[in-house]
Amino acid sequence: MAGQVTAVDVLIVGAGFAGIGMGIQLARRARESFVIIEQAADVGGTWRDNQYPGVSCDIPSHLYSFSFRPNPDWSRVFAEGREIHAYLRTCVKEEGLTAHLRLNCALVQAEWDGADARWLVRTTRGDFSAASLVIATGRLSEPRIPLIKNLDGFGGRWWHSARWNARVSLVGRRIGLVGTGASAIQILPRLAAEASEIVVFQRSAPYVLPRGDREYSREETARFAADPGTVSALRDELFAEAERNIGARQRRHPDIDLLRQRSLDHLSASVPDERLRRLLTPDYEIGCKRILFSDDYYAALQLGHVTLEPTPLARIADGSGYGGVQGSREAIAASGNSYHLDVLVLATGFNSTRPSIAGHIRGRRARLLADEWSNGMAAHASTTVHGFPNMYVLDGPNAALGHNSAIYMIETQVGYVLSALDYLAVSGADALDVTAEAVRSYMRDIDTMAQDTVWVQGGCTSWYRDERTGRVTLLWPDSATSFRDRLATFAPVSYEHLHRRGQRPEPR
Ligand code: NAP
């Protein structure tokens, strides 16, 4: 590396929930030699990126926040995106992370230097040398644009839900909303209040459950503030309630039947029209895709100016009929139905299973992480990858949940990384590389846990599974509690101990 190189113990990539959580725990342990690099101009990850109308969290806020930084002030049961973003910014400020942050600083390449046993990290704002590397770039950061033929020939405006274009007024516009996932169902009711016409392109019908959102009263927030015990009791209660849903995901009876029936009853009670109800009835098992929570999605779909198109958006018509240069405004569904639209909103999800950062990280023998993961993401303890010493991936392979809070999983992984760092400090080694066998054995356990669950047997496609192999590579296919149990102990026996050149101890 040419020029000045900043040396740190830990380099964290990404300042979303995972990177901030890791940073807080390092700072609280007075391990001050760390930086958090963030390619954007602000912290917040998904809560910075997603600014679409109606963005909020479908996990209750008192659970979807750090256990070590409870917030008595949440304004409602399910906070809006901007409130969660503000919470994260407050965490950064009050936990002393500002000095550790490098904003507008994108990772260009990270390379393991075996001779020095350090990561050499080239960024858009200078070079770093780090003993340990924590990848905290999340799984919902790269918008996925589906194959829609001639999309670039669309004569109106289009954007992805995570790149909201607030400069374009939607009042009186004809809008196509593509997708019916967690983002789309939050967007539709808000768009419906402005647009003159909306077409929802549905590829698969989601299962929807009532959300039961409400504001917290002044008395409640005052009580939370006065007695922190009430906040942690509420958190425990919310966690236990969510955790009970794992039975349905494991296809246990009657859990799954009751859950399915609850959702279908909600549909029946909300949509009297039989034809529409049929179109909105999923053709796969409940829980296979993420279950959605909404109090206003079905109502919005039944408004006079909203149309449900029960097939995907396939293509934009050839623009030549409309003057060519200006493109076409005719959006054509797989059914052949055609809609004249001004704006297209693609709420089509994210590249989660194949993160592009893996193409920028080289481990031992210069192996690319993307090559190591060519058959899908894999890690030991959902965190460490063979051939990539002293590297930890948060919220990556097999660390997502379909039924409980992602923050609990992140905190579990942060605990695991801290144990690894503590062990490394006393081990006499300079680096730890998880063995190939430890990764294989962990992945065998994942396959076994997953095989009878609704995610594998439920008859759907989802981003929880790798699209090429069908293996569950994103999700932890069991309870959140079992994940914490599994990661509670850091077992050095799973790791090869590496030494800097010239530091290798004499064989005894
Ligand atoms: P998503 O769940 O991946 O949904 C994408 C949607 O786009 C799906 O309905 C998909 O259909 C559809 N789609 C893709 N290509 C299409 C096409 N050509 N025509 C029609 N539909 C098409 O993405 P998301 O809604 O952005 O949510 C992603 C994740 O973010 C969620 O699973 C959740 O973890 C998180 N999220 C959370 C919250 C929250 O409140 N906590 C809110 C928003 C998002 P198929 O189902 O057929 O693939």
Coordinates of all heavy atoms in Angstrom, one line a residue, residues 148-156 158 201 313-319 327-333 339 341 344:
I148 N -37.1 -6.8 -16.0 CA -38.4 -6.2 -16.7 C -37.9 -5.7 -18.0 O -37.1 -4.8 -18.1 CB -39.0 -5.1 -15.8 CG1 -39.4 -5.6 -14.4 CG2 -40.2 -4.5 -16.6 CD1 -39.7 -4.5 -13.4
K149 N -38.4 -6.4 -19.0 CA -37.9 -6.1 -20.4 C -38.2 -4.6 -20.8 O -39.3 -4.2 -20.5 CB -38.6 -7.0 -21.4 CG -37.6 -7.7 -22.3 CD -38.3 -8.8 -23.2 CE -38.1 -8.4 -24.6 NZ -39.0 -9.2 -25.5
N150 N -37.1 -4.0 -21.3 CA -37.2 -2.6 -21.7 C -37.5 -1.6 -20.6 O -38.1 -0.6 -20.8 CB -38.3 -2.5 -22.8 CG -38.2 -1.2 -23.6 OD1 -37.1 -0.6 -23.7 ND2 -39.4 -0.7 -24.0
L151 N -37.1 -1.9 -19.4 CA -37.4 -1.0 -18.3 C -36.8 0.4 -18.5 O -37.4 1.4 -18.2 CB -36.8 -1.6 -17.0 CG -37.0 -0.7 -15.7 CD1 -38.5 -0.5 -15.4 CD2 -36.4 -1.4 -14.5
D152 N -35.6 0.4 -19.2 CA -35.0 1.7 -19.4 C -35.8 2.4 -20.5 O -35.5 3.6 -20.7 CB -33.5 1.5 -19.9 CG -32.7 1.1 -18.7 OD1 -33.1 1.4 -17.5 OD2 -31.6 0.4 -18.8
G153 N -36.6 1.8 -21.2 CA -37.5 2.5 -22.2 C -38.7 3.0 -21.6 O -39.6 3.6 -22.3
F154 N -38.9 2.9 -20.3 CA -40.1 3.5 -19.7 C -40.1 5.0 -19.8 O -39.1 5.7 -19.3 CB -40.2 3.0 -18.2 CG -41.4 3.5 -17.5 CD1 -42.7 3.2 -17.9 CD2 -41.3 4.3 -16.3 CE1 -43.8 3.7 -17.3 CE2 -42.4 4.8 -15.6 CZ -43.7 4.5 -16.1
G155 N -41.1 5.6 -20.3 CA -41.1 7.0 -20.5 C -41.5 7.9 -19.3 O -41.3 9.1 -19.3
G156 N -42.0 7.2 -18.2 CA -42.2 8.0 -17.0 C -41.0 7.9 -16.1 O -39.9 7.7 -16.6
W158 N -39.1 6.0 -12.8 CA -39.1 4.8 -11.9 C -38.0 4.8 -10.9 O -36.9 5.4 -11.2 CB -39.1 3.5 -12.8 CG -37.8 3.2 -13.5 CD1 -37.5 3.5 -14.8 CD2 -36.7 2.4 -13.0 NE1 -36.2 3.0 -15.1 CE2 -35.7 2.4 -14.0 CE3 -36.4 1.8 -11.7 CZ2 -34.5 1.7 -13.8 CZ3 -35.2 1.2 -11.5 CH2 -34.3 1.1 -12.6
F201 N -48.6 -4.8 -9.0 CA -48.3 -6.0 -9.7 C -47.9 -7.1 -8.6 O -46.8 -6.9 -8.0 CB -47.1 -5.7 -10.6 CG -47.4 -4.8 -11.8 CD1 -47.3 -3.5 -11.6 CD2 -47.8 -5.4 -13.0 CE1 -47.7 -2.6 -12.7 CE2 -48.2 -4.5 -14.0 CZ -48.1 -3.2 -13.9
L313 N -44.9 -7.7 -13.3 CA -44.7 -6.8 -14.4 C -43.6 -7.5 -15.3 O -42.5 -7.8 -14.8 CB -44.2 -5.5 -13.9 CG -43.7 -4.5 -14.9 CD1 -44.9 -4.1 -15.9 CD2 -43.2 -3.2 -14.2
A314 N -44.0 -7.6 -16.6 CA -43.1 -8.4 -17.5 C -42.2 -7.4 -18.3 O -41.0 -7.7 -18.5 CB -43.9 -9.3 -18.4
R315 N -42.9 -6.4 -18.9 CA -42.1 -5.6 -19.8 C -42.8 -4.2 -20.0 O -43.9 -4.0 -19.6 CB -42.0 -6.3 -21.2 CG -43.2 -6.5 -21.9 CD -43.0 -7.3 -23.1 NE -44.3 -7.7 -23.8 CZ -44.8 -7.0 -24.7 NH1 -44.2 -5.9 -25.2 NH2 -46.0 -7.3 -25.3
I316 N -42.0 -3.3 -20.5 CA -42.5 -2.0 -20.9 C -42.6 -2.1 -22.5 O -41.7 -2.6 -23.1 CB -41.5 -0.9 -20.5 CG1 -41.2 -0.9 -19.0 CG2 -42.0 0.5 -21.0 CD1 -42.4 -0.7 -18.2
A317 N -43.7 -1.6 -23.0 CA -43.9 -1.7 -24.4 C -42.9 -0.9 -25.2 O -42.3 0.0 -24.6 CB -45.3 -1.1 -24.8
D318 N -42.7 -1.3 -26.4 CA -41.7 -0.6 -27.2 C -42.2 0.8 -27.4 O -43.4 1.1 -27.6 CB -41.7 -1.3 -28.6 CG -40.7 -0.8 -29.5 OD1 -40.3 0.4 -29.3 OD2 -40.2 -1.5 -30.4
G319 N -41.2 1.8 -27.2 CA -41.6 3.2 -27.2 C -41.9 3.8 -28.5 O -42.4 5.0 -28.5
G327 N -39.8 7.3 -24.9 CA -40.1 6.0 -24.3 C -41.6 5.8 -24.2 O -42.4 6.6 -24.6
S328 N -41.9 4.7 -23.6 CA -43.3 4.2 -23.5 C -43.8 4.3 -22.1 O -43.0 4.1 -21.1 CB -43.4 2.8 -24.0 OG -44.7 2.3 -23.6
R329 N -45.1 4.5 -21.9 CA -45.7 4.5 -20.5 C -46.5 3.3 -20.4 O -47.3 3.2 -19.4 CB -46.5 5.8 -20.3 CG -45.6 7.0 -20.4 CD -46.1 8.1 -19.6 NE -45.0 9.1 -19.5 CZ -45.0 10.1 -18.6 NH1 -45.9 10.2 -17.7 NH2 -44.0 11.0 -18.6
E330 N -46.5 2.4 -21.3 CA -47.3 1.2 -21.2 C -46.6 0.1 -20.5 O -45.6 -0.5 -21.0 CB -47.7 0.7 -22.6 CG -48.6 1.6 -23.4 CD -49.9 1.9 -22.7 OE1 -50.6 1.0 -22.3 OE2 -50.2 3.1 -22.6
A331 N -47.0 -0.3 -19.3 CA -46.4 -1.4 -18.6 C -47.3 -2.6 -18.8 O -48.5 -2.6 -18.6 CB -46.4 -1.0 -17.1
I332 N -46.6 -3.7 -19.2 CA -47.4 -4.9 -19.6 C -47.1 -6.0 -18.6 O -45.9 -6.4 -18.4 CB -47.0 -5.3 -21.0 CG1 -47.4 -4.1 -21.9 CG2 -47.8 -6.5 -21.4 CD1 -47.0 -4.3 -23.3
A333 N -48.1 -6.6 -18.0 CA -48.0 -7.7 -17.1 C -47.8 -9.0 -17.8 O -48.1 -9.1 -19.0 CB -49.2 -7.7 -16.2
Y339 N -51.1 -1.4 -18.8 CA -51.5 -0.2 -18.0 C -50.7 1.0 -18.4 O -49.4 0.9 -18.5 CB -51.2 -0.5 -16.5 CG -52.0 -1.8 -16.0 CD1 -51.3 -3.0 -16.0 CD2 -53.3 -1.7 -15.6 CE1 -52.0 -4.2 -15.6 CE2 -54.0 -2.8 -15.2 CZ -53.3 -4.1 -15.2 OH -54.0 -5.2 -14.8
L341 N -49.0 4.2 -17.3 CA -48.5 4.7 -16.0 C -47.5 5.8 -16.1 O -46.8 5.9 -17.1 CB -47.8 3.5 -15.3 CG -48.7 2.3 -15.0 CD1 -47.8 1.1 -14.5 CD2 -49.8 2.6 -14.0
L344 N -43.3 4.2 -11.9 CA -43.2 2.8 -11.4 C -42.3 2.8 -10.2 O -41.2 3.3 -10.1 CB -42.4 2.0 -12.5 CG -43.2 1.4 -13.6 CD1 -42.2 0.6 -14.5 CD2 -44.2 0.4 -13.1

